Amino acid sequence: MTYNDDEQTAPTSTEPARPTGIMGQLVKQVRLNKYHNPVASLEPNDQEVLLELRGSSSSTDRAGLDLVAVIDVSGSMDGDRIDMAKTALQFVIRKLSDLDRLCVVTFSTSATRLCPLRFVTEAAQAELKTLVDGLKAYGTTNMKAGLGTGISVVDGRRLTSGRAVSIMLMSDGYENEGGHAIDVQLKNVPVYTFGFGASHDSNLLEAIARKSLGGTFNYVADGASLTRPFSQLLGGLLTIIAQDLELTVTRFQGEATIKRVVWVDAGTYPQTTAGDGSSVTVSFGTLYSAEVRRVIVYLALADKTSSPPYDANVGMAQYRFTFQAQQVTSNPDLITIQRRWSALDAARKPQPVENELARLQHADMIRAARAMAEANNMENARNKLEEAQKALEDNLDKANPTVAMLLEELRQLRRLMESQDLYKREGRPYVASSLASHDRQRVATRGQAEGIRLYTTPHMDTYLKQAEQFEKNPEEAPPPAPKHVPEPDQVVEEPPPPVEADVPEVPRDVAEGNRRTLSAALRVATTVLSLAAFVLMASVRTSGWDSDRYGPYEQYYRYAVGVNLIVCIYSTAQAIVEIRRLVSPRFASRNPITYCVLAYLLMSASSTAAFGKESPNTKINNAVWLSFLGFLALAASALISMDNLFRRMV
């Protein structure tokens, strides 16, 4: 059936007019942050780049919401469950404003559309409340009819420009009438599913949410509140600041190749790869205020050992979205990595990258444990979860609130995998909601584990408190959502990073390069000083080498002249080597012990003169001081060489 009777004209707003944002302001509603190693070796190596899209948490306009609530009213919902569903729907009606439209669809043996999409004015609230209060549970479960009717309502809309649309589907049982709901074509409409109680079909509801664009599966345990999970969803849907969000990642040919088919990891969001494989576009759908999408890009940097060090543009990121029917496209953002001969810290990733890789590993281990539990191998499943717990404790800070929630998630899963019966009853929907949350990077209700609030936003926290208060006193209605997203009272879960977050203050590899430059300068200084000392000592002679006499300093001066000559020649050679090391790795051999021995010889040659019985002439005295300065330069160079050596050993 086609439904094209949605209300077209929004009522006159009672809120003060807000200026329409210009394009530059709209771009700021979404921000792109990059995290990666700023330095990499010229040799072929693998790099991970974390791209983060973050929705603005400052006051901004929001999209009007078209929400279709598809509610199971089959016979199994009779009693407390239908009453809880009514209370949850009443909260939804109270929170929507006259900017938003609502349609309620129920299903049992067949599906019924209770009302068309209509703006939720004060008058409409009263009528919708009456419709919801009249719900009764009866019949079988024809989920396909319910979901299909909801999609038909969305497809038939006449007013679509600038509006966000979502379907929330709630059921407490298995479909036993009318075919398979998974066959319904969702057409990029986000569907958020809620499995209510211990007898729902979590596999089906998870599959429907996964098939949609951005939807999540939520597990609501027996006896748990249904209003609170609904409030979490509204806390996002009523703060949508970007629609049709896409991120395109392009690798530069000749700079970066790929070693894995999936080189952009974005969970279960759909990806489109260019024909030549050089770029990938990820489609995220909607983005809430203060919400975050993280993408890991795996790059294999090409072999550049035949080139001098340079700054390589290895990739580019660009995002686009729509808001209030306006197309917004960001400027291309280059991913630049300094290619150097040596990159000591290449194996040490920036902390945000480490955290995201650890979270992905965490989700993969839950996925593996789930497969073992489905095969009735509960002991191995628990062992896998214990392995995941140890990996988190070893690699991340347990005091971090997010890490603490991940650990609690694993503890809950281990408890629910103690037996096959417990797993089928509670563990299966729990693990399904956990993976849905990780794959979508969105909040999802996990049974009664209210302490695990991954991916929540400050507005969701506000709505949750309002839901709790509404359950205690339904007559005290929560305020409807404003037509703009206000600045939240709470602090965002992860504060925005500094502007230059992707570049550490002083990378160790860059610091080593600076030390090499200083070492080369010191060796040049040693060469100059030892040469000057040698020339001054040699110029004291008034006749041939053998006929000169130096009085009580005869042996010392011959020794000093020889040492300065040796140091001059050796330092010249080493200065040339160190300078060439800055542009070529083929001159990498060095022996810091030799520098120390030469420094000792030069020091001994210089210090011996201080204990002579007679004062040397001015030239010789100056030569001694030049020799001593040369010793200092050579000693400093030796210390730098030893430091570099020890760093490599560590």
Side-chain angles (χ1 to χ4, degrees):
M1 183 177 294
T2 300
Y3 300 99
N4 58 357
D5 54 354
D6 56 311
E7 288 188 355
Q8 297 294 292
T9 305
T12 303
S13 175
T14 58
E15 293 189 5
R18 291 169 57 85
T20 302
I22 61 175
M23 193 62 63
Q25 293 173 329
L26 289 179
V27 172
K28 294 179 181 178
Q29 291 190 183
V30 180
R31 183 176 59 196
L32 173 65
N33 298 314
K34 309 190 303 293
Y35 304 90
H36 56 83
N37 275 331
V39 180
S41 171
L42 286 169
E43 297 179 349
N45 62 94
D46 297 337
Q47 294 291 325
E48 294 86 12
V49 178
L50 171 61
L51 301 176
E52 178 186 88
L53 292 173
R54 182 179 291 270
S56 170
S57 59
S58 60
S59 180
T60 184
D61 290 331
R62 70 173 177 90
L65 175 65
D66 287 345
L67 177 63
V68 180
V70 181
I71 307 299
D72 185 350
V73 294
S74 61
S76 59
M77 285 288 294
D78 194 24
D80 291 341
R81 290 185 181 179
I82 193 68
D83 291 336
M84 295 176 72
K86 291 178 182 180
T87 302
L89 284 173
Q90 296 291 1
F91 180 82
V92 171
I93 293 170
R94 299 295 183 89
K95 284 304 298 180
L96 298 178
S97 74
D98 57 11
L99 176 65
D100 311 303
R101 299 189 297 179
L102 175 66
C103 171
V104 179
V105 175
T106 61
F107 67 92
S108 54
T109 305
S110 59
T112 302
R113 189 190 67 153
L114 299 184
C115 62
L117 268 175
R118 59 184 306 186
F119 287 99
V120 187
T121 61
E122 289 186 11
Q125 280 189 349
E127 296 176 15
L128 289 166
K129 183 178 183 298
T130 301
L131 288 175
V132 169
D133 285 340
L135 294 181
K136 297 184 183 302
Y138 65 93
T140 55
T141 305
N142 190 343
M143 195 182 304
K144 180 178 181 181
L147 181 57
T149 300
I151 291 294
S152 296
V153 170
V154 172
D155 283 348
R157 292 179 304 154
R158 294 170 295 170
L159 177 61
T160 60
S161 179
R163 302 192 64 79
V165 62
S166 291
I167 292 177
M168 53 191 302
L169 169 65
M170 187 278 290
S171 177
D172 75 329
Y174 282 74
E175 56 182 358
N176 52 23
E177 182 87 24
H180 302 294
I182 193 62
D183 295 334
V184 176
Q185 297 301 313
L186 303 182
K187 304 176 182 179
N188 282 340
V189 177
V191 180
Y192 302 88
T193 58
F194 294 82
F196 195 13
S199 300
H200 69 273
D201 189 346
S202 60
N203 289 338
L204 174 61
L205 293 174
E206 178 193 13
I208 291 172
R210 188 179 295 271
K211 182 180 177 181
S212 73
L213 179 59
T216 55
F217 166 67
N218 299 263
Y219 165 43
V220 185
D222 274 320
S225 164
L226 187 60
T227 306
R228 298 176 193 181
F230 278 20
S231 75
Q232 298 300 272
L233 176 60
L234 284 180
L237 296 181
L238 295 178
T239 60
I240 291 176
I241 60 173
Q243 298 170 250
D244 307 317
L245 177 64
E246 293 182 342
L247 173 68
T248 298
V249 183
T250 304
R251 60 180 178 84
F252 287 173
Q253 302 286 359
E255 293 289 351
T257 59
I258 58 174
K259 289 187 177 180
R260 46 190 297 168
V261 176
V262 181
W263 57 282
V264 176
D265 193 336
T268 55
Y269 286 102
Q271 299 184 11
T272 303
T273 304
D276 60 356
S278 62
S279 69
V280 171
T281 298
V282 183
S283 299
F284 294 108
T286 58
L287 186 70
Y288 309 150
S289 170
E291 200 178 28
V292 178
R293 294 285 176 272
R294 296 184 177 92
V295 173
I296 289 287
V297 181
Y298 299 92
L299 294 177
L301 301 191
D303 186 354
K304 295 294 181 179
T305 52
S306 61
S307 304
Y310 70 106
D311 293 344
N313 293 324
V314 299
M316 181 179 70
Q318 187 174 31
Y319 63 89
R320 64 193 63 85
F321 62 91
T322 60
F323 183 75
Q324 295 181 347
Q326 296 187 64
Q327 297 283 337
V328 183
T329 303
S330 73
N331 292 324
D333 204 333
L334 293 175
I335 302 171
T336 303
I337 297 179
Q338 302 172 22
R339 303 295 300 273
R340 298 292 183 263
W341 288 124
S342 175
L344 294 179
D345 273 357
R348 295 184 57 188
K349 304 174 180 64
Q351 195 60 50
V353 178
E354 292 278 13
N355 292 346
E356 182 61 10
L357 290 174
R359 188 195 65 81
L360 292 173
Q361 182 187 36
H362 169 88
D364 285 341
M365 287 187 170
I366 292 178
R367 220 179 314 274
R370 178 193 199 179
M372 296 171 184
E374 291 292 334
N376 201 17
N377 195 341
M378 308 309 294
E379 182 177 358
N380 283 349
R382 291 193 301 273
N383 290 339
K384 177 60 69 173
L385 295 174
E386 185 175 357
E387 180 185 346
Q389 180 176 338
K390 187 176 186 303
L392 284 177
E393 292 174 341
D394 290 346
N395 299 323
L396 299 179
D397 180 10
K398 291 185 288 185
N400 184 303
T402 300
V403 177
M405 284 188 280
L406 293 176
L407 291 171
E408 177 61 24
E409 181 179 49
L410 293 173
R411 284 190 286 269
Q412 291 285 347
L413 283 169
R414 288 182 65 191
R415 178 182 66 82
L416 296 174
M417 291 184 182
E418 286 294 334
S419 69
Q420 187 70 16
D421 181 66
L422 180 60
Y423 170 74
K424 289 181 178 179
R425 189 173 65 254
E426 299 181 43
R428 179 177 288 158
Y430 189 107
V431 72
S433 58
S434 293
L435 290 175
S437 179
H438 285 296
D439 289 339
R440 299 297 199 193
Q441 300 180 52
R442 270 192 164 154
V443 65
T445 301
R446 297 164 169 81
Q448 297 192 28
E450 296 183 355
I452 301 176
R453 297 184 48 73
L454 296 168
Y455 308 111
T456 58
T457 68
H459 295 288
M460 293 178 185
D461 294 336
T462 299
Y463 280 42
L464 178 61
K465 293 178 181 177
Q466 292 177 355
E468 293 171 348
Q469 186 62 34
F470 183 76
E471 287 179 322
K472 296 176 182 177
N473 184 11
E475 298 303 320
E476 186 177 335
K483 298 183 180 181
H484 64 278
V485 181
E487 293 189 12
D489 296 331
Q490 300 93 335
V491 178
V492 179
E493 177 185 352
E494 295 182 36
V499 175
E500 299 297 332
D502 56 335
V503 181
E505 292 183 4
V506 182
R508 285 176 56 187
D509 191 67
V510 174
E512 184 190 11
N514 294 337
R515 289 193 299 270
R516 287 191 189 135
T517 302
L518 177 60
S519 179
L522 289 171
R523 287 169 187 171
V524 171
T526 303
T527 299
V528 173
L529 291 170
S530 57
L531 177 62
F534 169 75
V535 170
L536 282 175
M537 287 186 175
S539 67
V540 174
R541 302 177 181 279
T542 56
S543 58
W545 180 279
D546 293 336
S547 61
D548 283 337
R549 295 292 181 268
Y550 293 90
Y553 296 97
E554 176 67 26
Q555 293 180 347
Y556 159 70
Y557 288 124
R558 293 187 181 279
Y559 170 69
V561 167
V563 167
N564 276 287
L565 180 60
I566 293 172
V567 171
C568 178
I569 295 173
Y570 189 82
S571 295
T572 299
Q574 286 300 306
I576 295 173
V577 168
E578 192 66 19
I579 291 172
R580 297 191 66 178
R581 277 177 54 80
L582 297 175
V583 295
S584 173
R586 285 180 269 280
F587 297 90
S589 62
R590 50 185 176 177
N591 187 357
I593 303 301
T594 304
Y595 304 153
C596 295
V597 172
L598 288 173
Y600 168 74
L601 292 175
L602 190 56
M603 178 181 65
S604 63
S606 303
S607 60
T608 303
F611 299 98
K613 297 181 181 179
E614 299 178 8
S615 299
N617 63 35
T618 302
K619 286 186 176 182
I620 295 177
N621 190 54
N622 291 338
V624 169
W625 279 109
L626 290 173
S627 296
F628 186 72
L629 292 175
F631 149 70
L632 293 178
L634 190 58
S637 177
L639 290 175
I640 293 174
S641 299
M642 292 293 288
D643 179 63
N644 286 337
L645 176 63
F646 289 142
R647 286 174 182 269
R648 288 182 178 276
M649 293 173 64
V650 173

